[in-house]
């Protein structure tokens, strides 16, 4: 079992030694290049850099000696100090968002500098798809993720930066190394067609795994939520769009940055399973309610022989300790960036090594990125963004320890794992056996690039043409070998090899025109024509009963039984788009967008669809009548309406597909291969379309001290892509078709405030809150019982007017107690269900109802408080989801089985949430062995409030940096999933993990961020 105190002590000592080693290496570097003082550097220049508008000091400003790479950056107080030659020199002073200056030093030894805001640069802060736009002029629902809030957190997956921080976006993390979790933007829309948002990396569709993207390489992330913002991506944007932009060089002086952090993890919560004492009590209590002898003095006779041996020898098993490992995380990232008059570059390398809580649940990720852009001429810019990622998830994870008997036997005397924990009753597998006997190699590779050229047409100011070509090659393999079990006489060896290759490409032609006609009129137009291709092939080969296990999976021909399968598929698309942004007097804004898409996945009659949208915005604060309201800095109203499409089905689904089977005629001959039609064609299958209306208010008040957005939306999704079941008499099981409609409506609030600013102390708060009400509007539009109301689909639990994911079941009404009026066949300790229609009996037809909402919470909120004082900063983020439930069947597996009711008397563990006994008359938990004749489920609230991220940072003072010849250095400590407040009894309420799921880790890390 992990000892957190001992582990933390070892970890802290290790990190301190590493930091001292790095500091020693840096300080003792030979003086050369950017770190050296020139022989002529015989005088110092000092000063402060401030904002010209408010006289506020500016930290991180680049101060470079013109014509050289020698320079420095201002500290947290805006001060700088630089050695310069005796002769006349000029300083080039630059900072992102401000106009650069070139200043003659003369004979000055002190030189204070003021920088003016570059309004043009500030206007280009929001990525809107196929370009950027001033936040001021954005008309759609675009939320920019503040990456500064997460830069000191141990995030190895970029989606962790979205977790609870963006209104209207639900990211659920399962806590596992290398896993994505799931993202839901403004609720689910589709019943069968998929609800994942479109991912766009550096302007190009990204079809890889989000775990492939190194968070340190990301400059910004935007979420497009309404149709006006997302319609430019048409057929791919029905579920929202996540725009990711990687970093570029920002300073003329080459910048080298090293980011690293190391940490340890432990269980944030362990599902409470039976202790050895409670396990014995379970046996006694079950025997009591079953009418058997239950004498504690005879407990040895109630145990299985192998259990009895361990009981007498005092040997017990802790189920979670059996399958867990020492969890840790290490991440190292090095990047170099800079820019000149003609070239912009950013190069990075990253290594991440994660070990999860469960044995063999690991990830090693190696990533490289190169972004280079070069201005070959005033009218021509070329560049490419390329990244390579290798993720290693090798290792067979241990299984759930849910059923492990505390008195079971997990290992033989020679250390080999047993197959059955209690061999006399082969009900519980050893959860560690497969992990120990299996060799596994699971590798994912991703090579993603975008080559582009930008032509500025000299004859027409504001007219530009860009061409993008983006190839994406992904290859993966998963190899397994299960070795011979030394304690089995028969051959237990099996081996398999799975290989898959994907090759996608996107080719886009983009024409833009940006022109201001006079003081009152401005137009921004974007036209697109592009094509995209997706293709894959895969092969799986299996062998069992290998004649030798020396070669593992490297010679499947040694197997006595061989099988193999293979598959392949391609899909192609073509797109065209027009977007017009018009500004009148810079306060009346209009956006019109139309995109037409064609996709090969749809039937011949409906391969193309058009998705239009429009948006209006009024910057009210620019009106003269607002001059009488001085506390309003900015007030903007936005409305939009439009359509986006969903093509999230696999290729060939609209066609009649064939399948194969082998048949033995019994004549002694070889088996025959038969081909038969397996799916029905639908030549009218068409696009699923979502129509969204959006209205919002953006505001900034009190000179920027308070700002935010209030947003409401209503989305109607029609022509749902559904795989509908067919009667068996048709000869087919199902067919893809368009039917039904869903609706999502909700509101979102984002607030940013500076609560206190006094001297060196500042307190800022960010609040996000969102709701989503989802319902099915109609399904088959059938009324088979003639009651005038459309029929529900009980089989799929789809109900008209209700959310797509609901719990439909009997209503729990307590536990029958001794003395109650108990129905025939029931006993005290059995579950009582409500008779909803009052007919005196409980039936499936009349007494089931909707218990609650599943899949997504009704309300999501998050709050971040950031405190800064001098060189210290503290950030605390709280995340919460409320208004949802989930089933506990996996936790209550003994209850769920109908009829036998014998699991409590068999050698298996269980959730220790209590049970009814004649002495302990529980009103919430039934007696052991309750047979559950109605097969009802058990539900529990998934509501939670979590202290998700806490980070304490310290910026090393300038004096220390100068001595170490560093540009900047920051040390930080972080805690993730520090505490969770919930009634959920499973591993985690956010992911819905039960005892059979993977636990959520609590992580503690130390990190260092230094720049040269």
């Amino acid at each position: 079992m992990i000892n957190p105190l001992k582990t933390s002590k070892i970890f802290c000592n290790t990190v301190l030694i590493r930091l001292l080693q790095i500091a020693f290496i840096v300080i003792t570097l030979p003086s050369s290049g950017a770190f050296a003082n020139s022989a002529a550097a015989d005088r110092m220049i000092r000063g402060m850099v401030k904002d010209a508008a408010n006289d506020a000091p500016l930290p991180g400003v680049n101060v470079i000696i013109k014509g050289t790479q020698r320079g420095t950056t201002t500290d947290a107080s805006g001060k700088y100090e630089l050695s310069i030659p005796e002769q006349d020199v000029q300083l080039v002073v630059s900072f992102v968002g401000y106009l650069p200056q070139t200043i003659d030093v003369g004979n000055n030894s002190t030189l204070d500098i003021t920088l003016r805001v570059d309004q043009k640069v500030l206007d280009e802060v929001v990525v809107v798809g196929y370009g950027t736009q001033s936040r001021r002029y954005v008309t759609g629902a675009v939320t920019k993720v503040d990456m500064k809030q997460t830069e000191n957190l141990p995030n190895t997956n970029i989606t962790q930066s979205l977790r609870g921080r963006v209104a209207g976006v639900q990211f659920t993390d399962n806590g596992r190394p290398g896993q994505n979790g799931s993202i839901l933007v403004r609720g689910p829309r589709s019943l069968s067609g998929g609800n994942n948002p479109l991912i766009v990396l550096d302007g190009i569709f990204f079809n890889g795994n989000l775990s492939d993207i190194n968070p340190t390489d990301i400059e910004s992330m935007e979420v497009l939520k309404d149709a006006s913002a997302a319609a430019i991506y048409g057929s791919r944007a029905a579920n929202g769009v996540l725009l990711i932009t990687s970093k570029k060089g920002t300073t003329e002086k080459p910048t080298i940055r090293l980011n690293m952090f190391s940490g340890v993890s432990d269980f944030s919560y362990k599902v409470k399973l039976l202790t050895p004492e409670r396990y014995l009590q379970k046996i006694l209590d079950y025997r009591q309610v079953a009418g058997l002898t239950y004498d504690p003095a005879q407990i040895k006779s109630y145990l299985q022989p192998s259990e009895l041996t361990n009981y007498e020898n005092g040997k017990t098993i802790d189920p979670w300790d059996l399958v867990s490992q020492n969890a840790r995380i290490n991440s190292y990232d090095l990047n170099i960036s800079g820019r000149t008059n003609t070239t912009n570059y950013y190069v990075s390398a990253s290594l991440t090594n994660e070990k999860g809580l469960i044995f063999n649940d690991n990830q090693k990720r190696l990533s490289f990125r190169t972004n280079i852009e070069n201005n070959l001429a005033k009218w021509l810019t070329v560049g490419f963004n390329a990244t390579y990622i290798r993720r290693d998830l090798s290792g067979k994870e241990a299984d759930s320890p849910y059923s492990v008997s505390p008195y079971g036997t997990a290992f033989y005397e020679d250390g080999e794992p047993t197959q059955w924990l209690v061999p006399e009753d082969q009900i519980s597998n050893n959860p560690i056996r497969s992990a120990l006997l299996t060799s596994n190699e699971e590798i994912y590779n991703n090579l993603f690039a975008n080559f582009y050229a930008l032509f500025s047409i000299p004859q027409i100011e504001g007219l530009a043409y860009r061409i993008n070509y983006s190839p994406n090659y992904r290859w993966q393999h998963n190899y397994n070998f299960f070795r011979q079990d030394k304690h089995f006489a028969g051959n237990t060896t099996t081996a398999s090899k799975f290989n898959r290759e994907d090759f996608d490409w996107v080719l886009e032609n983009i024409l833009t025109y940006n022109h201001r006609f006079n003081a009152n009129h401005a137009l921004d137009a974007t036209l697109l024509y592009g094509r995209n291709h997706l293709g894959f092939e895969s092969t799986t080969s299996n062998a069992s009963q290998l004649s030798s296990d020396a070669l593992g999976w490297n010679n499947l021909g040694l197997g006595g039984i061989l099988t193999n399968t293979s598959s392949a598929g391609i899909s192609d698309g073509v797109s065209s788009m027009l977007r017009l942004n018009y500004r009148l007097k810079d306060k009346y804004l209009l956006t019109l967008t139309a995109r037409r898409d064609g996709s090969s996945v749809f039937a011949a009659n409906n391969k193309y669809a058009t998705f239009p949208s429009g948006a209006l915005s009024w910057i009210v604060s620019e009106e003269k009548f607002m001059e009488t309201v001085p506390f309003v800095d900015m007030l903007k109203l936005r409305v939009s309406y439009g359509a986006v499409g969903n093509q999230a089905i696999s290729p060939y689904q609209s066609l009649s597909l064939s399948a194969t089977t082998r048949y033995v005629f019994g004549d002694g001959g070889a088996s025959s291969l038969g081909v038969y039609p397996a799916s029905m064609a639908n030549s009218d299958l068409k696009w699923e379309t979502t129509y969204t209306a959006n209205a919002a208010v953006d505001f900034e008040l009190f000179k920027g001290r308070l700002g935010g957005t209030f947003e409401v939306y209503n989305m109607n999704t029609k022509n749902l892509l559904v795989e509908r079941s067919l009667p068996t008499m048709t000869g087919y099981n199902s067919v893809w078709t368009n039917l039904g409609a869903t609706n999502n409506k909700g509101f979102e609030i984002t607030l940013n405030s500076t609560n206190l600013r006094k001297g060196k102390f500042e307190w800022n708060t960010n609040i996000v809150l969102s709701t989503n009400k989802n319902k099915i509007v109609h399904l088959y539009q059938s009324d088979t019982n003639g009651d005038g109301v459309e029929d529900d689909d009980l089989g799929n639990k789809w109900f008209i007017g209700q959310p797509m994911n609901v719990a439909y079941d009997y209503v729990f009404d307590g536990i029958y107690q001794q003395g109650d009026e108990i129905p025939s066949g029931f006993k005290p300790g059995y579950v009582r269900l409500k008779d909803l229609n009052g007919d005196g009996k409980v039936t499936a037809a009349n007494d089931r109802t909707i218990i609650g909402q599943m899949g997504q919470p009704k309300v999501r909120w998050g709050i971040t408080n950031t405190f800064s004082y001098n060189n210290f900063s503290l950030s605390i983020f709280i995340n919460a989801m409320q208004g949802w439930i989930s089933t506990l069947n996996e936790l209550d597996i003994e209850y769920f089985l109908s009829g036998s009711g014998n699991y409590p008397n068999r050698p298996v563990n269980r959730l220790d949430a209590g049970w009814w006994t004649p002495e302990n008359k529980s009103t919430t938990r039934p007696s052991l062995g309750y047979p559950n004749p109605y097969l009802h489920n058990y539900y529990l609230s998934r509501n939670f409030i979590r202290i998700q991220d806490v980070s304490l940072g310290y910026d090393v003072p300038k004096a220390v940096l100068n001595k170490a010849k560093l540009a900047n250095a920051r040390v930080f400590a972080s805690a993730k999933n520090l505490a969770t407040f919930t009634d959920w009894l499973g591993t985690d309420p956010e992911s819905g993990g039960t005892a059979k799921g993977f636990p959520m880790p609590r992580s503690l890390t130390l990190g260092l961020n230094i720049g040269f």
Side-chain angles (χ1 to χ4, degrees):
M1 182 174 181
I2 298 174
N3 186 330
L5 294 177
K6 182 178 179 181
T7 306
S8 300
K9 183 177 180 181
I10 296 172
F11 164 73
C12 292
N13 291 337
T14 303
V15 171
L16 286 174
I17 291 172
R18 288 184 180 177
L19 293 179
L20 290 173
Q21 290 173 337
I22 292 172
F24 176 79
I25 293 171
V26 171
I27 293 173
T28 56
L29 283 173
S31 297
S32 62
F35 305 102
N37 289 329
S38 165
D42 54 1
R43 70 186 180 104
M44 300 292 293
I45 181 74
R46 299 178 176 84
M48 178 179 288
V49 182
K50 300 180 180 179
D51 187 308
N54 55 25
D55 215 31
L58 298 176
V61 176
N62 294 290
V63 182
I64 310 294
I65 300 174
K66 186 175 182 180
T68 74
Q69 293 185 355
R70 291 172 52 198
T72 187
T73 58
T74 59
D75 62 15
S77 301
K79 297 178 181 179
Y80 72 94
E81 185 178 276
L82 182 65
S83 297
I84 62 173
E86 182 61 37
Q87 66 267 25
D88 291 341
V89 297
Q90 292 180 312
L91 297 181
V92 178
V93 185
S94 62
F95 190 50
V96 175
Y98 289 79
L99 294 169
Q101 287 194 46
T102 302
I103 301 172
D104 292 317
V105 175
N107 295 321
N108 294 315
S109 59
T110 302
L111 186 61
D112 292 335
I113 304 166
T114 58
L115 295 180
R116 291 184 295 110
V117 169
D118 185 349
Q119 190 62 44
K120 180 179 179 182
V121 171
L122 290 183
D123 284 348
E124 298 173 353
V125 294
V126 178
V127 179
V128 293
Y130 303 111
T132 57
Q133 206 172 33
S134 164
R135 181 186 296 277
R136 182 183 186 85
Y137 300 139
V138 170
T139 58
V142 181
T143 298
K144 187 178 181 69
V145 181
D146 187 358
M147 300 300 292
K148 291 184 179 180
Q149 289 186 352
T150 61
E151 62 184 358
N152 294 326
L153 299 176
N155 292 338
T156 59
N157 188 322
I158 62 167
T159 49
Q160 293 173 336
S161 302
L162 299 173
R163 191 174 164 210
R165 299 179 185 273
V166 180
V169 178
Q170 175 185 334
F171 171 66
T172 54
D173 187 14
N174 59 18
R176 295 185 59 191
Q179 305 298 316
N180 277 333
S182 61
I183 305 175
L184 194 62
V185 179
R186 288 185 168 179
R189 300 144 172 83
S190 181
L191 293 173
S192 304
N195 289 291
N196 296 321
L198 171 67
I199 309 300
V200 178
L201 176 60
D202 288 329
I204 302 298
F205 298 157
F206 183 76
N207 297 313
N209 193 299
L210 281 172
S211 297
D212 292 343
I213 303 175
N214 178 20
T216 312
D217 289 337
I218 304 307
E219 178 65 31
S220 68
M221 285 198 294
E222 282 82 10
V223 182
L224 311 185
K225 296 185 287 189
D226 73 335
S228 175
I232 54 172
Y233 293 110
S235 66
R236 309 282 298 270
N239 300 313
V241 182
L242 177 60
L243 301 180
I244 303 171
T245 304
S246 60
K247 292 179 178 178
K248 294 184 176 181
T250 58
T251 61
E252 292 188 10
K253 176 187 174 183
T255 301
I256 302 174
R257 293 191 182 277
L258 174 65
N259 305 283
M260 62 181 185
F261 59 83
S262 296
V264 294
S265 299
D266 203 349
F267 290 78
S268 62
Y269 170 74
K270 281 187 178 180
V271 172
K272 187 180 179 182
L273 301 177
L274 295 175
T275 63
E277 296 76 17
R278 290 286 291 163
Y279 180 78
L280 298 178
Q281 189 63 49
K282 177 203 73 167
I283 296 175
L284 295 173
D285 289 344
Y286 169 76
R287 293 181 68 87
Q288 180 184 12
V289 298
L292 304 173
T293 59
Y294 58 98
D295 183 1
Q298 300 181 38
I299 189 65
K300 293 182 179 181
S301 65
Y302 306 148
L303 294 172
Q304 298 291 336
S306 60
E307 288 185 304
L308 177 59
T309 301
N310 290 327
Y311 173 80
E312 291 177 333
N313 293 329
K315 292 183 179 180
T316 60
I317 297 175
D318 183 306
W320 287 110
D321 282 355
L322 177 65
V323 299
S324 64
Q325 64 183 3
N326 291 328
R328 64 177 185 270
I329 179 174
N330 295 285
S331 178
Y332 308 92
D333 181 272
L334 179 67
N335 62 72
I336 303 172
S337 64
R339 61 179 173 83
T340 66
N341 292 334
T342 59
T343 303
N344 187 301
Y345 58 92
Y346 175 88
V347 180
S348 75
S350 174
L351 174 64
T352 299
N353 189 356
E354 294 181 85
K355 294 182 73 68
L357 295 173
I358 301 301
F359 180 73
N360 268 349
D361 191 23
N362 308 320
Q363 176 194 222
K364 293 180 181 178
R365 184 183 67 201
L366 181 65
S367 68
F368 299 94
R369 170 169 284 277
T370 301
N371 294 347
I372 296 179
E373 184 175 89
N374 194 274
N375 299 321
L376 299 181
K378 290 184 178 181
W379 53 273
L380 176 60
T381 299
V382 297
F384 72 91
N385 304 319
T387 183
Y388 167 73
I389 304 95
R390 185 180 190 270
R391 291 191 302 125
D392 186 346
L393 304 183
S394 298
K396 174 69 173 66
E397 302 89 357
D399 297 325
S400 168
Y402 176 75
S403 61
V404 170
S405 166
Y407 294 102
T409 303
F411 298 96
Y412 295 106
E413 292 296 330
D414 61 0
E416 289 288 293
T418 62
Q419 181 177 12
W420 308 106
L421 290 168
V422 182
E424 298 85 358
D425 189 337
Q426 298 178 357
I427 186 175
S428 179
N429 289 313
N430 186 344
I432 200 71
R433 177 176 182 261
S434 182
L436 292 173
L437 297 184
T438 301
S439 299
N440 168 260
E441 184 176 280
E442 185 177 359
I443 309 291
Y444 298 82
N445 299 275
N446 191 337
L447 181 59
F448 179 83
N450 179 30
F451 302 90
Y452 62 90
L454 178 63
F455 300 86
S456 298
I457 311 303
Q459 292 79 6
I460 306 177
E461 183 179 354
L463 182 63
Y465 166 71
R466 175 173 175 138
I467 183 170
N468 293 322
Y469 174 67
S470 176
N472 182 199
Y473 177 49
R474 304 185 300 279
W475 65 105
Q476 60 177 284
H477 69 257
N478 192 340
Y479 300 160
N480 292 276
F481 173 68
F482 188 91
R483 66 176 174 84
Q484 177 65 40
D485 189 327
K486 298 177 181 179
H487 293 268
F488 266 69
N491 191 329
T492 63
T493 58
T494 62
S496 66
K497 300 186 75 170
F498 168 78
N499 288 277
R500 172 167 172 150
E501 293 185 1
D502 291 72
F503 181 69
D504 312 334
W505 55 261
V506 175
L507 177 63
E508 294 178 326
N509 300 273
I510 306 169
L511 190 67
T512 59
Y513 180 65
N514 194 333
H515 184 69
R516 177 177 284 276
F517 297 94
N518 51 45
N520 293 331
H521 303 280
L523 178 67
D524 173 7
T526 302
L527 293 98
L528 163 81
Y529 179 79
R531 302 186 68 91
N532 62 81
H533 170 87
L534 304 173
F536 82 94
E537 63 176 8
S538 67
T539 301
T540 302
S541 298
N542 300 280
S544 60
Q545 299 182 11
L546 280 72
S547 58
S548 170
D549 59 5
L551 299 178
W553 57 68
N554 290 311
N555 189 347
L556 300 185
L558 297 175
I561 302 175
L562 305 178
T563 60
N564 62 75
T565 59
S566 63
S567 63
I570 60 171
S571 63
D572 291 279
V574 60
S575 306
S576 55
M577 185 271 295
L578 169 64
R579 179 179 63 196
L580 297 175
N581 288 313
Y582 170 69
R583 301 199 305 272
L584 175 62
K585 297 183 179 181
D586 284 346
K587 57 185 177 182
Y588 308 112
L589 314 174
L590 170 67
T591 299
L592 297 174
T593 305
R595 176 159 175 147
R596 182 167 176 79
D597 280 291
S599 176
S600 63
V601 303
F602 288 105
N605 298 343
N606 295 289
K607 288 193 177 296
Y608 287 86
T610 301
F611 306 101
S613 73
L616 292 169
S617 183
W618 174 27
I619 305 179
V620 183
S621 53
E622 290 296 306
E623 300 292 350
K624 286 191 174 294
F625 62 79
M626 290 297 294
E627 294 177 358
T628 60
V629 191
F631 66 87
V632 177
D633 305 323
M634 192 277 292
L635 178 64
K636 181 171 69 172
L637 306 180
R638 294 184 281 112
V639 294
S640 67
Y641 184 80
V644 286
N646 189 353
Q647 63 172 42
I649 60 173
S650 303
Y652 320 118
Q653 298 303 306
S654 65
L655 304 177
S656 177
L657 303 179
S658 298
T660 61
T661 186
R662 286 199 171 271
Y663 187 79
V664 179
F665 286 96
D667 56 1
S671 62
S672 300
L673 180 66
V675 180
Y676 63 95
S679 64
M680 180 183 292
N682 183 355
S683 59
D684 293 320
L685 190 67
K686 58 186 176 182
W687 301 77
E688 182 176 289
T689 306
T690 297
Y691 301 86
T692 302
N694 196 89
V697 178
D698 303 320
F699 62 92
E700 290 183 8
L701 310 175
F702 309 112
K703 297 184 178 180
R705 295 288 291 267
L706 177 64
T709 298
F710 294 97
E711 202 139 17
V712 295
Y713 62 88
N714 185 39
M715 301 188 302
N716 290 296
T717 303
K718 301 179 179 179
N719 297 318
L720 302 178
L721 291 165
V722 177
E723 190 172 12
R724 185 176 184 178
S725 298
L726 295 176
T728 55
M729 65 189 70
T730 64
Y732 300 98
N733 294 323
S734 62
V735 62
W736 277 94
T737 187
N738 297 102
L739 57 84
T742 60
N743 174 266
N744 283 270
K745 61 180 60 174
F747 72 88
E748 301 164 356
I749 299 174
T750 302
L751 293 174
N752 299 288
S753 67
T754 300
N755 307 317
L756 183 62
R757 183 186 291 151
K758 188 174 183 180
K760 296 181 180 180
F761 179 78
E762 186 169 312
W763 171 26
N764 298 299
T765 298
N766 169 259
I767 299 174
V768 296
L769 183 146
S770 61
T771 69
N772 178 267
K773 186 176 181 180
N774 165 262
K775 69 177 182 180
I776 297 173
V777 178
H778 70 84
L779 288 169
Y780 314 113
Q781 295 184 324
S782 60
D783 180 16
T784 56
N785 58 7
D787 62 355
V789 178
E790 183 179 351
D791 296 335
D792 299 319
D793 185 336
L794 293 180
N796 288 303
K797 296 184 180 179
W798 293 337
F799 301 93
I800 309 301
Q802 297 294 331
M804 290 166 52
N805 298 302
V806 296
Y808 177 74
D809 211 332
Y810 301 94
V811 179
F812 179 85
D813 194 27
I815 304 296
Y816 285 112
Q817 305 294 334
Q818 292 169 337
D820 289 349
E821 184 178 342
I822 301 177
S824 175
F826 279 62
K827 300 177 182 179
Y830 281 19
V831 170
R832 179 170 53 212
L833 302 175
K834 282 190 177 182
D835 175 14
L836 297 182
N837 70 341
D839 63 358
K841 54 185 178 181
V842 175
T843 61
N846 299 318
D847 297 304
R848 290 186 298 171
T849 188
I850 294 174
I851 308 294
Q853 178 171 307
M854 305 174 71
Q856 67 157 343
K858 294 179 180 178
V859 178
R860 296 181 289 267
W861 59 270
I863 179 169
T864 304
N865 281 292
T866 304
F867 308 90
S868 60
Y869 178 76
N870 206 358
N871 289 7
F872 288 92
S873 64
L874 173 66
S875 175
I876 303 173
F877 173 54
I878 297 175
N879 184 24
M881 299 183 185
Q882 295 169 330
W884 55 339
I885 64 173
S886 190
T887 178
L888 283 177
N889 286 345
E890 288 187 343
L891 297 179
D892 290 299
I893 188 171
E894 295 90 348
Y895 297 162
F896 189 63
L897 290 180
S898 174
S900 64
N902 60 354
Y903 268 35
N905 197 38
R906 298 178 70 180
V908 290
N909 211 314
R910 59 178 292 123
L911 171 71
D912 190 1
W915 51 77
W916 184 95
T917 68
E919 295 75 29
N920 178 28
K921 297 178 174 58
S922 173
T923 60
T924 58
R925 308 290 293 185
S927 62
L928 295 169
Y930 165 60
N932 194 357
Y934 289 98
L935 297 181
H936 62 82
N937 296 329
Y938 293 80
Y939 302 94
L940 198 66
S941 168
R942 283 174 63 181
N943 297 351
F944 71 89
I945 298 175
R946 168 175 284 151
I947 303 176
Q948 182 169 297
D949 292 302
V950 177
S951 178
L952 175 64
Y954 175 70
D955 292 302
V956 177
K958 191 70 175 179
V960 178
L961 294 177
N962 290 338
K963 189 174 296 185
K965 296 182 174 61
L966 297 175
N968 66 278
R970 181 177 178 84
V971 181
F972 62 89
S974 298
K976 184 177 287 292
N977 303 320
L978 196 59
T980 303
F981 307 95
T982 182
D983 291 330
W984 182 251
L985 297 177
T987 54
D988 185 68
E990 182 179 359
S991 64
T994 64
K996 294 188 175 182
F998 283 80
M1000 180 67 69
R1002 179 191 292 116
S1003 302
L1004 302 175
T1005 60
L1006 290 177
L1008 176 66
N1009 184 327
I1010 58 177
F1012 305 90

